Amino acid sequence: MLSPAELEILSTSFAVAWRALIFSLPFAIAVAFLLSRPGTPGRLILDGLAHLPLILPPVLVGFLLLLIFGRRGPLGALLGQWFGVHLAFTTAGAALATAVMSFPLLVRSIRLAFEATDARLFEAAAMLRAGPWDRFVSIALPLAGPGIIAGAVTAFAASMGEFGAVITFAANIPGQTQTLPLAIYTVLQEPGGEDEALRLAVMSFAVAMLGLIAAEFLQRRARKRLFG
Amino acid sequence: MNVLQAHLRLAQGGFVLDAQFEAPANAITALFGPSGGGKTTLLSALAGLKHSQGSITLNERDVGAIAAHQRGFGLVFQDARLFPHLTTGQNLAYARRRAPNSKLELADVAGFFDIATLLDRPVRNLSGGEKSRVALARALICAPEFLLLDEPFAALDGPRRRAFIQVLLAAHRKFQIPMLIVSHSIDDAAALASYLVVLNQGRVVAQGPFAETALSSSFQALLDPRDIGTALSSAALRSAAQADVQSLWLRADHVLIASEPPKKLSARNILEGRITAITWEADLSLLVQLATAAGPVLSRVTQEAAQDLELQVKKTAWAVIKAHAV
């Protein structure tokens, strides 16, 4: 049904989206939690920073990543020197670009989940000798769990479609950084590529729909388990 | 000996709390006052959930600057605040795990509060009374040095409320933890507490042993006129409720006065005493205060009745109280 080339594109897309999620999820949870707490200092600035990738042109995000994480960029040079890791033009780089782009989406949905949890329960936990970190792990995380899962799955599905930042920072290398939208772009550059583009578009559509349905399903199941 | 001494100051919007009070060891203290007087705010500040100035000394340790979870207070909230993602038993275990030095066993505490059969249930399936008991059990199993209770029976109706008061008294006897309980019901406060702190408009206007303090004019002035009365030891009165409580609140409106020893009455309580004061009330009724062997008793009479009976200070009179009035 799918050609080997198409399978490779799909598996590259998954590999990138997976890594992007693993990169961004811990940060997104931390930022979303801080944003959901009224007392956090510098909340407005943090909020702005977290949403920046949503406003900036994706190509610009890719370019900024090149400046910072490219071989001669301040962080890129350090990573290369110390760990021998190069991000630009690699699968990991594509994942980083995707992670940055999907970050606002992830933060938004996780923040909503944290805001929906009853803050008075944290007080109750504090009166049972639970410290701040304990309260976060034992109360905030499990109660926001369904929302976090749904946000992660949605962000994963959206990650499969990231284009501008990926092509700028990680280029368009088949088998490494060529994800679904990059492949569609590539076949459209060639005469007579519309049929193949259509096939890839259907694959994109299917993955996105599956992701959204899975997010809804997981959230419902988790809610039911938690709150009946 | 006082286990808790506090002087709290905090401003919140236009409201200023400036409260200085103490609470004795091994006793239940009632924090009484009209709604909006700052009772819940005071409790939150004590517990460390609200920032306040001043000092809090608990068991000779200054805890005013310590984070809420390390202060040593337990708090039972008005709404039980059980964790919805845990079962009843897991709620208790949550508290037990965080108090490694507590000598209480979960099974014993659950048995004491009659919730042992509920441990596997999700908390959303508990009734109001069950939730209150679980919340109390959860607070106690954490072995606090001092337990604060914010109207824990606000959500309970009459019979379940009285039953919960019995549970609270029994828990106090068994676990020997000093308590400060917020209440705006004078009956509940009298039933539970042996010490009274009266809070009005952010200030402590009276405090001391319950019966004595309840007699003070600054306390009586805060009561609904219909609630004016005195606290009598439950041993001194025949009560239809036959509840094993700290004291009973005897309303002046429920006490008849006789100028001669009454005979053949259905009332089960007749207390002989000397009239110590007669005061005019705003509605032109008279409050007669009688010193009896059981303690001071107030009775409200009309001007006409006072004249007929020739009631005067220092005269002997008899207070007549129905068993069902207390």
Side-chain angles (χ1 to χ4, degrees), chain B residues 100-221:
Chain B
N101 298 327
S102 167
K103 291 186 181 69
L104 301 173
E105 291 306 321
L106 198 152
D108 295 344
V109 175
F112 177 81
F113 287 101
D114 198 17
I115 51 177
T117 55
L118 309 176
L119 294 182
D120 291 332
R121 281 214 219 154
V123 293
R124 63 174 175 275
N125 293 347
L126 300 180
S127 73
E130 289 165 348
K131 275 185 186 148
S132 300
R133 291 206 303 277
V134 173
L136 182 59
R138 189 179 69 169
L140 282 167
I141 207 171
C142 210
E145 291 173 49
F146 196 105
L147 186 61
L148 309 166
L149 300 107
D150 188 6
E151 300 204 55
F153 26 63
L156 303 181
D157 57 22
R160 283 188 296 166
R161 192 186 183 95
R162 286 192 286 275
F164 190 67
I165 286 175
Q166 294 300 316
V167 170
L168 254 179
L169 282 165
H172 176 65
R173 278 193 295 269
K174 179 173 164 80
F175 299 105
Q176 300 282 320
I177 292 175
M179 300 182 182
L180 177 70
I181 182 159
V182 164
S183 177
H184 65 237
S185 149
I186 184 61
D187 298 283
D188 296 347
L192 285 164
S194 59
Y195 197 85
L196 178 62
V197 174
V198 187
L199 190 71
N200 187 32
Q201 296 182 346
R203 291 180 165 272
V204 172
V205 294
Q207 62 177 316
F210 196 97
E212 239 173 274
T213 312
L215 210 58
S216 71
S217 55
S218 48
F219 174 75
Q220 297 273 342

Side-chain angles (χ1 to χ4, degrees), chain A residues 120 123 129 134 138 226-227, chain B residues 79 81 85 94 98 142-143:
Chain A
R120 295 172 313 164
E123 293 187 345
R129 301 178 192 264
D134 187 357
S138 64
L226 271 179
F227 309 112
Chain B
D79 44 348
R81 298 199 193 176
H85 59 300
Y94 186 99
R98 283 160 180 81
C142 210

Side-chain angles (χ1 to χ4, degrees), chain A residues 132-201:
Chain A
W133 177 249
D134 187 357
R135 300 198 285 271
F136 174 72
V137 173
S138 64
I139 307 291
L141 270 187
L143 286 177
I148 294 175
I149 292 170
V153 176
T154 315
F156 181 84
S159 292
M160 309 273 295
E162 187 41 48
F163 182 80
V166 175
I167 203 166
T168 313
F169 181 56
N172 188 356
I173 307 164
Q176 280 189 52
T177 70
Q178 192 179 68
T179 56
L180 271 166
L182 271 63
I184 294 174
Y185 171 75
T186 308
V187 296
L188 280 176
Q189 299 301 300
E190 295 153 12
E194 286 86 354
D195 286 354
E196 183 56 28
L198 203 58
R199 283 178 61 89
L200 292 171

